[in-house]
Amino acid sequence: MSSLPPPTTAPAGWYPDPYTGGFRYFDGRAWVGAPVPVVPGVAPTMPPLQQREPHPTLPLRAAIGALVVLTASLVAGKVVLDLVVDEDWPLAVYIALAAVVSYGPSLWWAWRVRRRDGDGSWRALGWRPRWSDLGWGPLTWLTAVLCQAMMAAVILALDIPFTSNIEDGELTGDDRTYVVALLVAAVVAAPLVEELIFRGIVLRGFIGRMPLAVALVLQGVLFGAAHVDPSRGIGNVGLVMVLSTVGVVLGGSAYLFRRLGPPMLAHAILNGVALTLVLSGWLDDVESPFEFVLLLANAG
């Protein structure tokens, strides 16, 4: 037998270890376990597989508190905007004000949870960015889009009322300050805060108290429900269905990777694509109802 390490296409099995003179197990993708010495007449046995780290959990009170704080702050954001809507302020100021009022309290809650229920670092909530997130994030986004397409087909087939949360076709990109503020709010603030809350706190709080499948679906539905606006009326039904699907995919990504980098990046791409569609006016040229629902669904 050759003393060289096996190629990455080699089948699973025992191979000579060139450094120790013993044998080491290769599972078809990577070495597993430590080398074992050669014992005449005794075949090496497969080492125990390395177990994945368990998914971190948080107390259920942290998840419930996060939902209460986010709901209250989102309502407060709408109330504040209604109170100042008649002021002659630049649009960028309204966007910044809405972002601070709507998401500021949730950031405070996340800071409190990481200190009270975690180890004091943001890693306790899954904030562990890695370079590989730049690849897994777009893959998570693509998965979310495919799932959106399937849900959009169901919505259209069953004629379920649907109103998008980015359907305002009057937005333009003429005001540079306004566009920058909108981009920061939609592509940075919203993904950062919403992923910290729903995947960093809510999902981890649910996983500790209920089966994984239930936790993933429930946090996804709550994510969709967080985007309900009474002004859309019954059209919220289809919107919640689409965004709940997105929430489940993002939750699955956070669970698989044990961190928020991939779902956070996917969330940013979703919102960035939606904002681009609105500001560019591309939605005005969409004719297919299915295409219309799918494009407008790309926002969270």
Side-chain angles (χ1 to χ4, degrees), residues 39-207:
V39 179
V42 178
T45 58
M46 180 178 176
L49 295 178
Q50 297 178 348
Q51 299 293 325
R52 288 195 66 191
E53 60 176 313
H55 193 283
T57 61
L58 291 171
L60 185 60
R61 69 174 184 273
I64 295 176
L67 293 170
V68 172
V69 170
L70 179 62
T71 301
S73 60
L74 289 176
V75 172
K78 295 182 183 300
V79 171
V80 170
L81 286 182
D82 288 340
L83 292 176
V84 300
V85 69
D86 293 329
E87 302 292 337
D88 190 20
W89 294 344
L91 287 174
V93 174
Y94 288 106
I95 295 171
L97 180 62
V100 171
V101 176
S102 299
Y103 292 133
S106 290
L107 282 176
W108 165 80
W109 182 259
W111 176 85
R112 186 170 185 267
V113 168
R114 74 180 177 89
R115 293 178 61 88
R116 183 187 65 183
D117 301 311
D119 59 6
S121 70
W122 289 105
R123 291 171 61 91
L125 304 183
W127 180 248
R128 297 184 300 168
R130 298 180 180 177
W131 287 111
S132 60
D133 294 344
L134 297 177
W136 291 118
L139 184 60
T140 300
W141 165 76
L142 181 59
T143 303
V145 170
L146 293 176
C147 291
Q148 281 182 321
M150 291 186 287
M151 182 57 69
V154 172
I155 290 173
L156 291 173
L158 299 180
D159 197 23
I160 297 175
F162 175 90
T163 302
S164 173
N165 55 340
I166 58 169
E167 197 170 9
D168 188 354
E170 297 180 358
L171 298 177
T172 65
D174 297 334
D175 189 330
R176 181 176 300 178
T177 303
Y178 159 57
V179 172
V180 170
L182 192 58
L183 283 171
V184 171
V187 183
V188 179
L192 173 65
V193 177
E194 292 179 9
E195 291 308 308
L196 274 174
I197 294 301
F198 286 101
R199 263 61 71 177
I201 299 178
V202 175
L203 178 60
R204 295 183 177 212
F206 286 174
I207 286 178

Side-chain angles (χ1 to χ4, degrees), residues 22-34:
F23 285 87
R24 195 172 183 186
Y25 191 81
F26 184 74
D27 67 1
R29 296 179 301 175
W31 295 110
V32 178

